[in-house]
Amino acid sequence: MGETDLIGSIDQGTSSSRVLIYEAQTGRVVAEHHIEVEQLFPHESWVEQKPLALLKSVEDCIEVVCDKLKEDGVSLDRIKGLGITNQRESTIVWDKVTGEPLNNSIVWCDARNGVQVHKLHSMFGQNYLREKCGLPIATYFSATKLVWLMDNNPQVKTAAEQDRLLFGTVDTWLIWNLTGGVKGGHHLTDVTNASRTMLMNINTLDWDNTLVEFFDLPSSILPKIQPSSSDYGSLASGSLAGKRILGVVGDQQAALLGQGCVSKGEAKNTYGTGCFMLYNTGPDIVHSTHGLLTTVAYQQEGHPATYALEGSVAVAGLALRWLRDNMGMIKDFNEAFELANQVDKTDGVYFVPAFSGLFAPHWRSDARGTLCGLTAHSTKQHISRAVLEAVCFQVCEIFEAMKADSGYEPKQFLVDGGMTRSDVLLQLQANLLGAEVAKPAMKEITALGAAVAAGVTAGVWQLGTKMDNITIFRPQIDEKERARKMKRWKMAVERSLGWDLEAMSTAD
């Protein structure tokens, strides 16, 4: 093996943590390790994770990967920096004196704050803050989760009053701990993650006092915002002690970088725990009129930010996890793909996976999961196929919104993420979109994006490298059949709406 520069990537997602070591510029994976992380569901619409468990999973992955490199005779000196990518919006609060979390992480798809959000909608309307932060008032974003914590966790409120409270999304929690924690850890975040809090002004790329005051939050708890490609400090301990974190980027923006979509007009869709479509709008801030989000795509230090339109779907791979862990219908995700492939159609079964409401383009926190069209003929094969189709239908909705907002209709649709290993899913998606779906052979696109962000800072990677070895899925149904299926899907969505959140949060 030649002495090519290497870049490390830490990818802390909702379902797993992983660390990969890439060959700079080529993107070849030299070593990797991943650990599945636990999700907790203590109450209806609550989704939590243990912050210390997330941190430990990352630290363990780092050590295993370093051991693998040593076994292969690869010197750690070749690693020129580290990138971090992470599940966005998930909200962690901790005591800066003790370093202890004051609550479990409230995960991005948690909707416990539905009542508070509904009240804000009633008072101000859903889009009251869009001009400043690019986002609707929704359960999804960190600010409304912080409001819930301040209202419902006395420890959090007391820590805030005593100036001991720190807040961060998962990237901030990892950076603070990896760079020293209570012994001088850096309290930092990047522009992509900050743009998902409802507290950053997307025009100035800094915390906005008006937004912070709107949610009645203390500004002292907020991390400093930096460009995605910049220096976040060095690891304080472990096998990579002294290695610098040179790039931080939220997971969906990282996938955009990994796919090489750095020019205006390029787009990708990631099928992970949720499903996320990003369309690069270049230096232009485009405000959606069709239920999409305006977000920061990326920023290199010393350069203007690049922006994107985003369509966010709360439940994709999470629906398969629900089939496995809650319903016991499958032993693993591959079984769901196999079951779905055993029937040609769902025979009228439609599934709306609104476990915590519906995200784009609906933004309905009063929606709940609904299974429609069951008959005595329905089997687990039909339900498995309906679950996969539900993901595809939701992508179709945000695809149509993206076309309406951007005026651009791509003929080919770039995809990545864990669910794309299912050819059944991707063929369904091509059929329902009426467009070609293109899947690169490279699997770890999100982690690759974090490596790119760090490699740019280190001077060993160029932006915009495209994936090769692409598999194409082409539509196999006509427009009439496509329209019929979308009409049925919209009927199912209507049946998922209008649940009484106030009653559900108290009586049930």
Side-chain angles (χ1 to χ4, degrees), residues 25 229 257 260 262 298 300 449 452-453 456 461-466:
Q25 197 57 42
S229 284
L257 282 183
V262 298
Y298 172 72
Q300 184 179 349
V452 171
V456 167
W461 215 308
Q462 296 294 315
L463 286 175
T465 304
K466 302 294 185 189

Side-chain angles (χ1 to χ4, degrees), residues 120-162:
L120 289 173
H121 286 179
S122 300
M123 294 168 65
F124 302 101
Q126 190 177 53
N127 295 314
Y128 182 67
L129 304 175
R130 259 191 192 268
E131 285 296 316
K132 282 185 175 288
C133 68
L135 310 172
I137 298 172
T139 60
Y140 183 21
F141 307 109
S142 306
T144 55
K145 300 180 192 301
L146 268 173
V147 169
W148 187 94
L149 284 165
M150 296 290 276
D151 288 347
N152 292 276
N153 186 327
Q155 277 187 292
V156 174
K157 192 163 186 62
T158 299
E161 291 167 351
Q162 296 176 352

Side-chain angles (χ1 to χ4, degrees), residues 364-376:
R364 291 291 294 265
S365 58
D366 63 341
R368 285 297 177 268
T370 307
L371 192 58
C372 301
L374 292 174
T375 68

Side-chain angles (χ1 to χ4, degrees), residues 153-171:
N153 186 327
Q155 277 187 292
V156 174
K157 192 163 186 62
T158 299
E161 291 167 351
Q162 296 176 352
D163 194 26
R164 296 164 63 105
L165 183 67
L166 292 181
F167 150 75
T169 42
V170 171
D171 58 308

Side-chain angles (χ1 to χ4, degrees), residues 210-331:
T210 306
L211 295 171
V212 175
E213 290 168 7
F214 177 83
F215 291 106
D216 195 24
L217 297 169
S219 58
S220 60
I221 71 175
L222 301 174
K224 179 186 174 186
I225 303 171
Q226 292 192 179
S228 312
S229 284
S230 62
D231 192 335
Y232 289 79
S234 58
L235 268 62
S237 61
S239 295
L240 294 182
K243 300 294 182 185
R244 302 196 76 79
I245 301 168
L246 299 179
V248 176
V249 60
D251 55 5
Q252 301 314 316
Q253 288 92 334
L256 199 69
L257 282 183
Q259 289 273 24
C261 298
V262 298
S263 300
K264 184 175 180 178
E266 295 182 314
K268 67 87 206 178
N269 191 64
T270 299
Y271 300 78
T273 303
C275 208
F276 304 90
M277 188 185 302
L278 267 74
Y279 172 84
N280 189 323
T281 62
D284 302 325
I285 298 173
V286 178
H287 289 285
S288 174
T289 56
H290 296 85
L292 303 180
L293 310 175
T294 305
T295 197
V296 179
Y298 172 72
Q299 187 186 24
Q300 184 179 349
E301 191 166 38
H303 293 74
T306 297
Y307 293 88
L309 282 171
E310 177 176 330
S312 309
V313 170
V315 178
L318 185 61
L320 296 180
R321 195 161 180 158
W322 173 77
L323 280 182
R324 183 191 70 184
D325 297 346
N326 294 45
M327 305 305 291
M329 282 180 57
I330 56 173
K331 64 179 182 297

